[in-house]
Amino acid sequence: FGHLELAGWSIALSGVADIMDGRVSRATGKTSVYGDFIDSTLDRYIEAAMFIGMVYFYGSKGPGAMLAIAALASSLIVSYARARGEVHGVNCTGGLMQRGERLALLSLLLLAGRAIDHLMHRPAGTVLMIGVAVIAATSLYTAIYRTVWIARELRRQDKP
């Protein structure tokens, strides 16, 4: 709804909460398959909500909305490739733009973007749009990297 700084703080706080709940559960020995499933699934909902919010901010068409959709699709494929690899016993966490990096960059862009746009005499959302383009491109690279790496590893394992 145009409250970019509030969105930035919300993303930052949700990231801190996500990190803390995992650390607390591991420290207290209360990890579970259920908790892992819920945590990773809720992470996808949060990411989807962030990028859907950007589509709303930029309007349903135009470069900002399209970049937000590309960032959403790429980020979901990054997570999906990792999850599918793990199902088959292959763990791949590599790449340029993982969830933590996406959250941190997006939060910073939301918090500082309006001020930077103002200093550079650009329309509101310009810096955010550039950052979302970077997230989309590097997430796509990460998704492709993981897909290729996991596929090679699975093919290697299939050979007698």
Side-chain angles (χ1 to χ4, degrees), residues 22-36:
R23 287 187 180 178
V24 168
S25 66
R26 284 187 293 279
T28 59
K30 299 201 180 205
T31 61
S32 68
V33 175
Y34 165 80
D36 184 51

